[in-house]
Amino acid sequence: MRQLNNIKRGWPDAQIEVVVHGKALNLLVTGKSTQADAIKELQAKGVIFAACENTMKRAKVEKSQLLPGVPTVPMGIGEIVTKQEEGWSYIKF
Amino acid sequence: MRQLNNIKRGWPDAQIEVVVHGKALNLLVTGKSTQADAIKELQAKGVIFAACENTMKRAKVEKSQLLPGVPTVPMGIGEIVTKQEEGWSYIKF
Amino acid sequence: MRQLNNIKRGWPDAQIEVVVHGKALNLLVTGKSTQADAIKELQAKGVIFAACENTMKRAKVEKSQLLPGVPTVPMGIGEIVTKQEEGWSYIKF
């Protein structure tokens, strides 16, 4: 979260999408996320946090359990590939 | 392996090459791999698993010890760079 | 370091920049780095090791504490994004 805030401070217009999949999913689950406030602030600055539907199925997490304003993508990894093909840069956290 | 299966299920025609180097090499070594069956299934779907020759030299692994159908590349990292230069997307596992 | 040496041995003309941020910063701090000799050798071969200024501020590390020949970049992650936009390939270590 600190790194995302750093980017937004340095580059206010940067488009950022954080694709959350695998073990990280709880980051986006209401009542389980330890970062809900930081995520809300980053969302207000335009950062998108997206949840992987494959991970959600496996973890039995419903869309209604996600934090407000969190869209889903069918495959987290597919989303990362697609974005790279569109010219987005990739950072692995 | 689950993630690779997810991609192939969502995108059956996706070209995937998994470059295995460093500590992960045993994944591709006969008798040491815990994923030999899953790898065989993914290979049947067209996924390429390639072993880094630099890592093999260091680990004293011969080509004959690799799982069936596993090609080698001279430098794992070099392969990743080359593929990106050819337009492939990169995912770090 | 071994991987960087492998690349330089295979591709002597490869341009390599290692962006060091977060927990890895001590790698570039005089008196704290366990890799100072290896870094010096790689620098002599043209590899650039760059330190993230955001990380430095947080860790209270001054430029004068960095190993010789280590430039800084304002944001480590910003540098990685910029380089990818310029066509550089990305490897996450």
Side-chain angles (χ1 to χ4, degrees):
Chain A
M1 299 301 151
R2 189 186 55 238
Q3 292 175 309
L4 295 168
N5 274 304
N6 282 341
I7 300 175
K8 272 304 200 182
R9 192 165 46 235
W11 293 343
D13 295 335
Q15 281 186 289
I16 304 174
E17 178 171 318
V18 182
V19 179
V20 180
H21 59 109
K23 291 176 189 169
L25 182 65
N26 279 345
L27 205 62
L28 301 186
V29 177
T30 305
K32 290 190 175 171
S33 178
T34 58
Q35 301 290 330
D37 290 346
I39 287 169
K40 194 174 176 182
E41 279 176 42
L42 282 160
Q43 286 173 324
K45 293 176 189 168
V47 177
I48 292 170
F49 289 84
C52 169
E53 293 174 13
N54 277 328
T55 302
M56 289 168 62
K57 272 175 221 150
R58 200 156 33 81
K60 301 198 193 318
V61 168
E62 302 293 326
K63 289 189 186 189
S64 60
Q65 296 173 259
L66 297 175
L67 295 177
V70 169
T72 65
V73 294
M75 289 191 285
I77 289 190
E79 176 73 4
I80 295 170
V81 168
T82 301
K83 280 286 188 283
Q84 286 185 66
E85 290 184 347
E86 290 173 3
W88 288 55
S89 295
Y90 169 55
I91 303 279
K92 158 82 175 178
F93 285 101
Chain B
M1 300 300 151
R2 188 186 57 235
Q3 291 175 309
L4 295 168
N5 274 306
N6 281 341
I7 301 175
K8 273 304 202 183
R9 191 164 48 233
W11 293 344
D13 295 335
Q15 280 185 288
I16 303 173
E17 178 172 318
V18 182
V19 179
V20 180
H21 60 108
K23 291 177 189 167
L25 181 66
N26 280 344
L27 205 62
L28 302 186
V29 177
T30 305
K32 290 191 175 171
S33 177
T34 58
Q35 301 289 330
D37 290 346
I39 287 169
K40 194 174 177 182
E41 280 177 41
L42 283 161
Q43 285 173 324
K45 292 175 190 169
V47 177
I48 292 170
F49 288 83
C52 169
E53 293 173 15
N54 277 327
T55 302
M56 290 168 64
K57 272 175 223 152
R58 201 156 33 82
K60 302 198 194 317
V61 167
E62 301 293 328
K63 289 189 185 188
S64 60
Q65 296 173 258
L66 297 175
L67 295 177
V70 169
T72 64
V73 294
M75 289 192 286
I77 288 189
E79 176 73 5
I80 295 170
V81 168
T82 301
K83 281 287 189 284
Q84 286 185 63
E85 289 184 348
E86 290 173 3
W88 289 55
S89 295
Y90 169 55
I91 303 279
K92 158 82 176 177
F93 285 101
Chain C
M1 300 302 152
R2 189 186 57 237
Q3 290 175 310
L4 295 168
N5 274 304
N6 282 340
I7 301 174
K8 273 303 200 181
R9 192 164 48 236
W11 293 345
D13 295 334
Q15 280 185 288
I16 303 174
E17 178 172 317
V18 182
V19 179
V20 180
H21 60 108
K23 292 177 188 168
L25 181 66
N26 279 345
L27 205 61
L28 302 186
V29 177
T30 305
K32 290 191 176 170
S33 177
T34 58
Q35 301 289 330
D37 291 346
I39 287 169
K40 195 174 176 181
E41 281 177 40
L42 283 160
Q43 285 173 324
K45 293 176 190 168
V47 177
I48 291 170
F49 289 83
C52 168
E53 293 173 14
N54 277 328
T55 302
M56 290 169 63
K57 273 176 223 153
R58 201 156 31 83
K60 300 198 195 319
V61 167
E62 301 293 327
K63 289 188 186 187
S64 60
Q65 296 173 259
L66 297 175
L67 295 178
V70 169
T72 64
V73 295
M75 288 191 287
I77 289 189
E79 177 72 7
I80 295 170
V81 168
T82 301
K83 280 286 189 283
Q84 287 185 64
E85 290 184 347
E86 290 173 1
W88 288 55
S89 295
Y90 169 55
I91 303 279
K92 158 82 176 179
F93 284 101

